[in-house]
Amino acid sequence: MQLSLFGDRFNSTPKRLINAPRQEFERLRYATEEAVEFSPIPCWAHLPPEVYQARIQTLVDSVIAEAALERSRTGRPVEGVESILTRDPQHRPTKLARSSAPLVHAATKVARKAFYEMYSWFVAAFRSAVEKLKQGDREAHFPVGSFPPGLPFVAG
């Protein structure tokens, strides 16, 4: 089951290059027709079309229900087409909200916390092995996946 959609793709680079003051611009001059092929997501590609469509519909319905719940919780109405079309697509906010990125990206906070815990265990085990090595224990066990520090050169 594949679906193809056709539409125009606009290349704005030449438009910007010729965009001298008072120069006329032909709307479709830099447009090329493009075809977009849609195919089933791999994990459901084996399903019959009816089952696939039912699963996709369930996902869409859950997104709609979640959005409706959020709107009812916040009291914020659905933004209409007219409101969206009045916006400048090139608008850039004067001030951007910035926050630092997490040290590791994970699907959930629980997964991120588990990674931090595993990493702190890894660092502790590595540092412990380094201390043993510094004290002369050449059989110190380093954690799997680590690169033990090189030993000093010993002349024959």
Side-chain angles (χ1 to χ4, degrees), residues 122 126 129-130 133 138 140-151:
F122 177 86
F126 185 87
V130 165
L133 187 64
R138 295 197 179 225
H141 293 284
F142 284 86
V144 174
S146 66
F147 293 94
L151 296 172

Side-chain angles (χ1 to χ4, degrees), residues 108-150:
T108 64
K109 287 182 180 179
V110 172
R112 182 179 298 123
K113 186 177 178 190
F115 176 81
Y116 288 150
E117 289 172 2
M118 288 186 289
Y119 183 70
S120 63
W121 172 87
F122 177 86
V123 169
F126 185 87
R127 288 182 177 161
S128 172
V130 165
E131 284 304 314
K132 290 178 183 175
L133 187 64
K134 283 182 181 177
Q135 294 171 1
D137 181 3
R138 295 197 179 225
E139 299 298 318
H141 293 284
F142 284 86
V144 174
S146 66
F147 293 94

